[in-house]
Amino acid sequence: MTGALGLLLGGRARRRWIHLILGGALAMPYVLVGSVIVGPLTGVDDVFRSLPLQLGSFAVGLPIAAVTSLFPLTRPLESAAVRALCGIDADSLAHGPARTRTERARTAAWFTLHLGLGGIIAGMSLAVPPFAVVLIVLPVFAGLRRSPLGLPHVLDHGWALALSPVAGLAMLLGLAACAAGCGALLARWAPALLGPTPQDRLAAAEARAADLAVRNRLARELHDSVGHALSAVTLQASAARRLLGTDPEFVREALAAIEETTRRTVGELDAVLGVLRDGDAPGTASAPTLESDLEGLLRRTRAAGQPVTATVGIEPAAVPPLVSREAYRIVQEGLSNALKHAGSPVAVRIATADGHLEITVENPLGAGPAPRPGGGHGLRGIADRVRLLGGTAEAGPSADLWRLSVRLPLATPTTPPGPLTRPLPKGSA
């Protein structure tokens, strides 16, 4: 019983009832316009003295309402009212004005439905409660039976008078049930008539995908640049501290490398933060490439005490800018991964074969620090970079080596990027 009363008179039902009454209020000007048309056609001066003529004016006014719903603000205002009063998720409703013919037709159908049901429920809400209250109190106030209220003559009978309170309560419950049913009907149809079209949903999904792609790109840039810099600076400072009293020349080189690494990283960090502030896609003009900083990257890694041998079988300037930038980040991440195994020699090979740029980073499996908990972001970043360029990547132990092997097409891929030949394993940054 309590649940049924909640459905009829609960907070959500009351708000939907208010939404219907607002629809009835919006319908009144159209009913007046309809009465101006119906009155002369029927030869009646006051159509509101006749219930059939009132309904006729209402029926004539609804098509006029449908025409006026074509104004641009109709859909945003109706969507706002539905979100506030009908308990509909905001994502299920469109926010902007109707643009296409289909959207305008759906908006007109919704506006007509809202005003039509709202006019009926508003009229019932004005007429039913007073009459129901009279029926409820009629057995107590006998004088009401002699008042000019136009009560049915059946109420002169004793049995009808005894049942009049029950009839009054039934009418109030019936009104609440009609309002709740119409409110539920409008709530069910709102997403279909006021919701975004498939084109709107596709555009929103594309916008979210683009935003996510930018966020992932920024996360990769921050991880690769700042993460590598922190690893390198930590090892450079540690090596300088150990050799402070025995090898001043190495200490000077390490401090110079720390200065260069931090200066470059601060510049890259400023660029990425600028993207976050401005909301634009990160550019490539200031991003390091094989041509601009491969030698510097190797030099700073060696200054941390990490033996690195590099074999470059292609002129870095000949690599396309996009491929060069991503290749630089891949080499940087490979060196960052190797820095965990301090003292282990690292071999970097960059060459071309069959129209692809081949990158290999190898280092012996040593007894370096265990991978950090939650690691693997760097390898996932490599996987993303390789997939976007349509290349392939493999990473993992091979014999007594840890090997990162990447192939990137030198030409822009003409087909969507395929999956990696093997998922990059977790456990390394």
Side-chain angles (χ1 to χ4, degrees):
M1 183 67 178
T2 304
L5 289 177
L7 291 176
L8 296 180
L9 301 173
R12 184 172 65 177
R14 292 197 301 271
R15 288 190 295 272
R16 291 178 176 177
W17 199 337
I18 293 172
H19 181 251
L20 287 164
I21 291 176
L22 289 176
L26 290 174
M28 283 305 300
Y30 301 102
V31 175
L32 293 175
V33 173
S35 67
V36 173
I37 298 174
V38 171
L41 291 177
T42 58
V44 177
D45 294 333
D46 189 0
V47 298
F48 293 104
R49 293 181 177 274
S50 169
L51 179 61
L53 293 181
Q54 291 181 42
L55 295 177
S57 301
F58 184 58
V60 171
L62 287 180
I64 302 174
V67 173
T68 60
S69 68
L70 300 179
F71 287 101
L73 288 179
T74 301
R75 188 167 74 161
L77 292 176
E78 284 290 318
S79 296
V82 170
R83 282 193 297 271
L85 297 175
C86 292
I88 302 300
D89 186 13
D91 293 337
S92 301
L93 302 174
H95 297 275
R99 296 181 299 272
T100 66
R101 181 179 300 177
T102 301
E103 291 176 344
R104 288 191 288 268
R106 291 165 57 192
T107 302
W110 165 264
F111 194 65
T112 304
L113 183 63
H114 182 202
L115 268 60
L117 293 179
I120 294 172
I121 296 300
M124 293 174 62
S125 299
L126 289 174
V128 171
F131 186 65
V133 170
V134 170
L135 291 180
I136 292 173
V137 302
L138 191 60
V140 180
F141 298 96
L144 291 175
R145 284 172 285 175
R146 294 185 296 273
S147 62
L149 295 178
L151 295 177
H153 294 292
V154 70
L155 292 175
D156 294 334
H157 300 282
W159 62 269
L161 189 63
L163 292 177
S164 64
V166 178
L169 290 175
M171 292 177 67
L172 291 177
L173 289 176
L175 172 62
C178 290
C182 291
L185 180 64
L186 286 180
R188 180 175 180 179
W189 278 96
L193 296 178
L194 292 179
T197 62
Q199 292 80 5
D200 293 333
R201 296 182 187 277
L202 180 60
E206 290 176 346
R208 287 193 295 269
D211 180 67
L212 182 60
V214 171
R215 291 165 62 90
N216 288 339
R217 167 81 178 280
L218 295 175
R220 289 198 304 268
E221 295 294 330
L222 283 174
H223 176 276
D224 292 349
S225 61
V226 178
H228 173 81
L230 291 177
S231 298
V233 166
T234 299
L235 290 179
Q236 288 161 352
S238 177
R241 179 181 56 81
R242 291 195 305 270
L243 300 175
L244 183 60
T246 59
D247 194 346
E249 182 62 28
F250 178 83
V251 173
R252 281 194 294 270
E253 293 178 1
L255 292 176
I258 289 174
E259 180 182 3
E260 181 184 357
T261 300
T262 53
R263 182 183 298 113
R264 174 177 291 275
T265 304
V266 167
E268 294 183 15
L269 182 60
D270 285 342
V272 173
L273 292 179
V275 171
L276 289 175
R277 285 191 296 267
D278 299 337
D280 297 327
T284 62
S286 61
T289 63
L290 294 179
E291 179 185 8
S292 66
D293 195 47
L294 177 60
E295 290 299 327
L297 175 63
L298 297 174
R299 183 180 65 255
R300 292 189 297 272
T301 305
R302 293 183 182 116
Q306 179 75 53
V308 179
T309 60
T311 303
V312 182
I314 183 175
E315 180 63 36
V319 181
L322 177 61
V323 178
S324 183
R325 188 195 71 209
E326 301 301 327
Y328 175 91
R329 292 302 191 192
I330 291 170
V331 173
Q332 185 182 54
E333 176 55 33
L335 292 174
S336 297
N337 197 46
L339 283 175
K340 295 179 180 180
H341 306 275
S344 300
V346 183
V348 178
R349 290 192 297 273
I350 302 176
T352 58
D354 301 326
H356 286 73
L357 183 69
E358 296 184 343
I359 303 170
T360 304
V361 181
E362 295 178 339
N363 65 279
L365 292 172
R372 299 185 306 273
H377 298 293
L379 291 180
R380 285 196 292 271
I382 290 177
D384 290 339
R385 295 179 188 276
V386 171
R387 182 171 58 252
L388 290 174
L389 292 179
T392 59
E394 294 183 359
S398 176
D400 58 346
L401 298 175
W402 177 275
R403 176 180 291 118
L404 170 66
S405 179
V406 173
R407 279 172 55 89
L408 301 175
L410 290 172
T412 303
T414 56
T415 58
L420 296 175
T421 56
R422 185 178 64 177
L424 293 181
K426 297 182 179 180
S428 296

